[in-house]
């Protein structure tokens, strides 16, 4: 790996959608170190398809070394930050001139790609062996998983339970209602405004109780609820006062952590008022890449580009050929959004962006 030569030291913490794209984009412009507790990038919008079709994960799970050909890879978790260094769980001290935090959500993923692919095969076996399946959570994860199972395994009984009054509460009611009708038409039983006691089947009965007293029989279950942000560790660092009440890093219009000239934050951990989605995390990464290239070349801060928060656009896959899409002035459901997203789930486009074969 080429390093040194007077190039600025850039450390990126987090190898998800945002951190990996930033690393790929600037790897030949900086003395780059990527810190991630796993050896791979996962294209997260392929997760649910990979659960029902494990071979899909061969393309959605990508070793960092496949795209990072001129950077230093540290497989560990960051545990502390000072004004000059990052410290990792395996005892390393990594100095930086510029730091970018892109830790995303706290997902307990295995370290290697092989282990992750094994997880998908195990999840798929659970589905194949089950006659009845419980999905808890009616956000995009729960809705897309229900749609994937209903499409690939139409003979199985699928029950989706959501504590809110409607599915996909992060987007408009029209899109929510269309998704609900689509699922019910394909036999998915949707229970709204209910919670599930996941401990109620500890006796092995596979009967779950809801908050309204209903009983749901399920051979297996999937928990599709929001995951906590991976920012708790920052509360013991120099950035402890930069976290808002929701655990997000407060950033300025250039995606710099407020009050810091050389520390940036990108992806879901920022306090930018926009829907937290992968394509917006990619926008964050590309803007910070442009900024870092400018600064490392000696450019003036006055030339930096401000970030414009994304418009409320959302796409949710419904099986293999359908989907629901919300744009600022229209909501579409059916084959058109399905053609846009559901077929390949943008995997080919994302892989090409990372310099890989589609």
């Amino acid at each position: 790996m080429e390093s040194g030569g007077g190039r600025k030291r850039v450390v990126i913490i987090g190898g998800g959608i945002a951190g990996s794209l930033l690393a790929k984009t600037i790897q030949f412009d900086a003395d780059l170190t990527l810190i991630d507790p796993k050896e791979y990038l996962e294209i997260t919008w392929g997760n649910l398809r990979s659960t029902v079709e494990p071979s899909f994960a061969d393309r959605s799970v990508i070793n960092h070394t496949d795209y990072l050909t001129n950077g230093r890879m540290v497989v560990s978790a960051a545990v502390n930050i000072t004004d000059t260094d990052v410290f990792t769980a395996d005892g390393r001290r990594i100095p930086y001139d510029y730091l970018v935090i892109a830790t995303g959500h706290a997902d307990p993923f295995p370290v290697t790609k092989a282990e992750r692919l094994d997880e998908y095969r195990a999840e798929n076996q659970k589905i194949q062996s089950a006659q009845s399946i419980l999905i808890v959570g009616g956000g995009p994860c729960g809705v897309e998983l229900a749609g994937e199972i209903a499409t690939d395994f139409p003979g199985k009984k699928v029950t989706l339970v959501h504590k809110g009054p409607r599915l996909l509460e992060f987007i408009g009611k029209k899109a929510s209602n269309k998704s609900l009708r689509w699922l019910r038409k394909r036999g998915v039983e949707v229970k709204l405004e209910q919670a599930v006691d996941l401990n109620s089947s500890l006796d092995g009965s596979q009967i779950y109780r809801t908050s309204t007293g209903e009983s749901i029989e399920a051979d297996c279950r999937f928990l599709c609820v929001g995951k906590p942000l991976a920012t708790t560790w920052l509360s013991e660092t120099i950035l402890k006062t930069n976290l808002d009440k929701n655990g997000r890093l407060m950033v300025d219009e250039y995606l710099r952590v407020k009050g810091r000239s050389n520390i940036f934050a990108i992806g879901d951990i920022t306090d930018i008022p926009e829907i937290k989605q992968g394509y917006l995390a990619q926008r964050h990464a590309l803007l910070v890449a442009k900024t870092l290239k400018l600064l490392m070349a000696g450019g003036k801060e006055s030339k930096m580009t401000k970030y414009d928060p994304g418009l409320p656009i959302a796409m949710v896959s419904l099986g293999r050929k359908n989907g629901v899409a919300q744009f600022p002035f229209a909501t579409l459901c059916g084959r058109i959004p399905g053609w846009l997203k559901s077929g390949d789930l943008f995997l080919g486009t994302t892989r090409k962006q990372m310099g890989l074969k589609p």
Side-chain angles (χ1 to χ4, degrees):
M1 184 208 77
E2 178 187 347
S3 64
R7 293 183 302 159
K8 295 293 186 180
R9 300 165 299 181
V10 177
V11 175
I12 302 170
I13 304 175
I17 292 297
S20 62
L21 180 56
L22 174 60
K24 183 261 179 187
T25 306
I26 67 168
Q27 61 180 313
F28 294 101
D29 300 283
D31 178 6
L32 176 69
T33 302
L34 175 64
I35 302 171
D36 194 63
K38 58 191 190 315
E39 296 177 356
Y40 54 89
L41 152 71
E42 181 152 15
I43 303 174
T44 50
W45 39 88
N47 289 7
L48 304 174
R49 178 70 51 82
S50 298
T51 301
V52 299
E53 184 186 337
S55 61
F56 199 75
D58 290 333
R59 292 169 59 228
S60 65
V61 181
I62 302 164
N63 282 322
H64 290 306
T65 52
D66 288 349
Y67 66 85
L68 190 63
T69 59
N70 198 53
R72 187 180 298 105
M73 182 68 220
V74 174
V75 182
S76 186
V79 295
N80 194 19
I81 296 170
T82 68
D83 290 319
T84 56
D85 301 281
V86 176
F87 294 84
T88 62
D90 61 355
R92 303 192 202 200
R93 179 180 67 85
I94 304 169
Y96 68 86
D97 297 302
Y98 294 98
L99 172 65
V100 185
I101 304 172
T103 47
H105 292 269
D107 292 313
F109 288 149
V111 174
T112 70
K113 176 178 178 176
E115 291 171 321
R116 183 61 171 144
L117 297 183
D118 285 343
E119 282 191 343
Y120 279 123
R121 285 188 281 268
E123 294 285 87
N124 180 257
Q125 188 56 50
K126 280 171 51 178
I127 295 173
Q128 294 204 45
S129 301
Q131 291 302 312
S132 53
I133 299 165
L134 170 63
I135 297 173
V136 180
C141 172
V143 169
E144 289 197 354
L145 180 58
E148 294 283 347
I149 295 174
T151 299
D152 279 29
F153 302 95
K156 298 186 184 297
K157 172 64 177 175
V158 179
T159 303
L160 187 155
V161 181
H162 181 56
K163 66 180 180 181
R166 62 184 178 91
L167 301 176
L168 304 174
E169 292 174 272
F170 75 107
I171 58 178
K173 290 183 179 180
K174 190 174 182 180
S176 296
N177 292 336
K178 287 184 175 182
S179 300
L180 176 62
R181 287 195 297 269
W182 190 94
L183 290 174
R184 285 178 169 167
K185 185 177 180 180
R186 285 152 184 81
V188 178
E189 184 175 359
V190 180
K191 297 179 182 292
L192 299 174
E193 299 186 89
Q194 297 188 48
V196 178
D197 181 2
L198 296 177
N199 296 318
S200 57
S201 68
L202 289 179
D203 59 358
S205 65
Q206 297 179 318
I207 302 293
Y208 296 87
R209 305 288 181 184
T210 75
S211 54
T212 62
E214 292 188 46
S215 298
I216 301 172
E217 183 175 358
D219 300 325
C220 71
R221 73 189 191 201
F222 291 92
L223 190 61
C224 296
V225 296
K227 298 179 177 67
L229 294 171
T231 56
T232 303
W233 66 283
L234 291 171
S235 62
E236 300 297 325
T237 72
I238 59 169
L239 301 182
K240 60 185 177 182
T241 61
N242 297 101
L243 295 168
D244 68 11
K245 63 180 181 180
N246 297 312
R248 301 188 189 277
L249 276 170
M250 296 180 283
V251 296
D252 64 17
E253 61 267 39
Y254 304 107
L255 301 180
R256 295 180 300 190
V257 175
K258 287 185 176 178
R260 302 279 174 174
S261 62
N262 65 335
I263 302 179
F264 297 77
I266 56 178
D268 288 358
I269 62 170
T270 65
D271 69 336
I272 299 170
E274 61 185 2
I275 297 175
K276 304 302 180 182
Q277 292 192 296
Y279 82 96
L280 293 176
Q282 291 172 320
R283 284 187 58 205
H284 295 183
L286 294 176
L287 183 136
V288 170
K290 180 180 178 181
T291 299
L292 288 174
K293 288 180 180 181
L294 170 73
L295 297 177
M296 290 187 294
K300 297 180 180 180
E301 289 192 9
S302 60
K303 299 294 185 180
M304 296 192 308
T305 302
K306 294 183 179 180
Y307 179 73
D308 183 20
L311 295 172
I313 297 173
M315 284 187 170
V316 177
S317 175
L318 296 172
R320 299 300 177 110
K321 296 181 179 180
N322 292 273
V324 61
Q326 176 181 282
F327 301 103
F329 304 107
T331 299
L332 301 177
C333 185
R335 291 299 180 94
I336 293 178
W339 173 76
L340 288 172
K341 179 182 180 182
S342 301
D344 187 54
L345 300 177
F346 300 125
L347 250 64
T349 301
T350 307
R351 287 179 60 87
K352 285 175 65 177
Q353 190 177 36
M354 296 302 294
L356 306 172
K357 292 182 180 180

